[in-house]
Amino acid sequence: MSDHDSDRELPAAQKCGELCKEFSEITGANSAEAQMYLQQHDWNLEAAIAYYYEDRPSDSDEPSAKIRKSAATCEDPSRLSVLSWNLDGLDNVSLFTRTKAAIETLKKEDADVVFLQEVVHQSWQILQDDLSTLYHLIPASTSDPYFTAVLLKITTVFLDSKKVQPFFTSVMMRKLQILHVNVKGIDVKLMNTHLESTAAHSVERLRQLKICFDEIASTDPKYNVIFGGDLNLKANDMRSATIPKSVVDIWEMLGSKPETRYTWDTRYNTNKQMDGPGRPRCRFDRFYFRSSCTKNIVPYGFNLTGIEKIKNCSKFASDHWGIHSHFHIATE
């Protein structure tokens, strides 16, 4: 499905958020699960709840037992989740409030791995203060005015090695973070980046994208590779890009659901006021995946996060929605 295909009739982002919240309050599921079940049932709340209880039998019929089971999902040895989010740190407006809101969302989403882009020093200090007991926080470079970072959940992800590959021809200080980790007994290569921005720099952006895909192609086949971030890609870019045959776009692989297509969406996200006619909607933020030779990780879910406005504030946590991908780990 093209990023520019017409949308089918879907609830507005605010309504989706309200339905997810109501689903979570009733079932005890986290927001990622809520969004997945609702998507599967065309945002019909009653149908989604009914299927949730059919799909997830509990040892007890008490709601408290279901809530405890949901809370323990992050420690399930058969599940892995990776979240990516551009925090829009270069926008100083309400930065402290927006960063704190993003942190609360990250805690609620409870991903094993978090890719962050456009982190600035003020936000970095807040992230360290609030998340260091939950995550190992790894910046690409704190000497730059803004940078990417990877967060590894302390209880589930173990770092084997890390490196940063600069894009030497970038005029925006862009880099590729590469980490080899072990997640619940599985070898995974993580690649987080923020590719060159704006249409004027499409040639450089595509050069950087090729470097990333070449890095995946050269990876030992024993590794699963998860590559993502704010890739700033548009349809024109993709017509010129060559994606390795072994690599899949997770959003496309999982059905190209319209409600999770746009990650920079000025129709619903009002943080940026756009001049001129129209309200741009783009799928800038993406995950690509290459399976290992043993195919021991399989993507099964994809949802957006950060889609609710901050209480008592006119802003969202970022001008980007976060993307959260879920994987099943094959266990022996």
Side-chain angles (χ1 to χ4, degrees):
M1 178 182 292
S2 166
D3 286 355
H4 299 284
D5 288 347
S6 60
D7 297 332
R8 61 185 171 84
E9 196 67 29
L10 296 166
Q14 182 178 352
K15 181 61 176 178
C16 290
E18 292 171 356
L19 288 169
C20 287
K21 182 178 180 181
E22 188 172 355
F23 183 100
S24 295
E25 288 174 349
I26 293 171
T27 65
N30 61 38
S31 60
E33 289 179 307
Q35 190 170 118
M36 282 190 294
Y37 278 97
L38 284 161
Q39 286 171 357
Q40 291 169 5
H41 293 84
D42 295 325
W43 297 92
N44 182 308
L45 181 62
E46 292 183 1
I49 290 172
Y51 186 78
Y52 174 85
Y53 285 123
E54 291 175 6
D55 193 40
R56 297 170 66 91
S58 172
D59 295 334
S60 168
D61 290 334
E62 296 178 4
S64 60
K66 291 185 174 67
I67 293 170
R68 287 195 299 271
K69 184 176 180 181
S70 176
T73 299
C74 62
E75 306 302 337
D76 186 339
S78 68
R79 302 290 175 90
L80 161 68
S81 74
V82 182
L83 187 152
S84 180
W85 205 355
N86 180 324
L87 296 183
D88 192 26
L90 293 177
D91 184 350
N92 290 321
V93 177
S94 305
L95 181 58
F96 177 84
T97 300
R98 291 192 297 105
T99 303
K100 295 291 278 189
I103 288 169
E104 289 307 306
T105 297
L106 292 177
K107 288 180 178 179
K108 182 172 64 174
E109 295 288 324
D110 196 29
D112 295 290
V113 176
V114 179
F115 292 172
L116 297 178
Q117 304 86 42
E118 211 171 298
V119 181
V120 296
H121 293 281
Q122 181 182 347
S123 296
W124 184 240
Q125 186 59 57
I126 302 168
L127 288 162
Q128 288 180 302
D129 290 345
D130 289 9
L131 292 175
S132 60
T133 60
L134 301 173
Y135 289 96
H136 182 195
L137 290 83
I138 304 169
S141 171
T142 55
S143 62
D144 293 332
Y146 71 103
F147 47 90
T148 63
V150 175
L151 281 55
L152 305 178
K153 193 175 181 186
I154 291 171
T155 57
T156 59
V157 186
F158 301 94
L159 178 66
D160 292 328
S161 66
K162 62 179 179 177
K163 73 173 184 178
V164 176
Q165 172 64 56
F167 296 129
F168 292 107
T169 52
S170 172
V171 298
M172 302 178 183
M173 300 170 290
R174 303 296 165 87
K175 300 174 174 67
L176 171 64
Q177 277 188 280
I178 304 171
L179 296 87
H180 290 85
V181 302
N182 188 277
V183 185
K184 302 176 182 179
I186 302 296
D187 290 321
V188 180
K189 182 173 183 175
L190 303 171
M191 298 170 54
N192 173 33
T193 194
H194 184 186
L195 299 185
E196 213 82 350
S197 306
T198 76
H201 295 278
S202 61
V203 172
E204 172 61 20
R205 179 165 55 253
L206 287 170
R207 194 192 72 82
Q208 295 169 2
L209 182 66
K210 184 179 185 303
I211 290 172
C212 295
F213 283 148
D214 288 347
E215 178 69 29
I216 296 174
S218 67
T219 300
D220 188 321
K222 76 173 186 178
Y223 282 95
N224 297 277
V225 183
I226 301 172
F227 162 51
D230 178 2
L231 306 187
N232 276 307
L233 295 171
K234 292 185 176 182
N236 286 340
D237 295 321
M238 297 315 298
R239 281 192 280 271
S240 302
T242 301
I243 303 175
K245 290 182 179 179
S246 61
V247 175
V248 297
D249 179 320
I250 290 180
W251 177 76
E252 292 180 350
M253 176 188 179
L254 296 176
S256 304
K257 291 184 171 61
E259 60 265 39
T260 57
R261 178 189 306 170
Y262 300 115
T263 66
W264 191 75
D265 188 351
T266 62
R267 183 182 299 181
Y268 296 113
N269 190 315
T270 54
N271 280 21
K272 293 287 189 289
Q273 299 299 319
M274 307 301 297
D275 296 327
R279 294 181 179 180
R281 312 177 79 194
C282 301
R283 192 165 69 94
F284 284 153
D285 307 85
R286 304 183 184 212
F287 279 126
Y288 288 95
F289 175 68
R290 192 211 70 179
S291 179
S292 71
C293 56
T294 57
K295 301 187 184 303
N296 49 14
I297 291 182
V298 179
Y300 75 88
F302 182 95
N303 65 277
L304 302 180
T305 191
I307 62 174
E308 296 179 356
K309 276 192 175 180
I310 304 167
K311 290 182 179 179
N312 303 317
C313 179
S314 62
K315 298 289 184 180
F316 293 91
S318 172
D319 64 331
H320 288 246
W321 307 138
I323 57 174
H324 195 172
S325 189
H326 307 263
F327 301 81
H328 174 74
I329 298 176
T331 55
E332 296 181 359

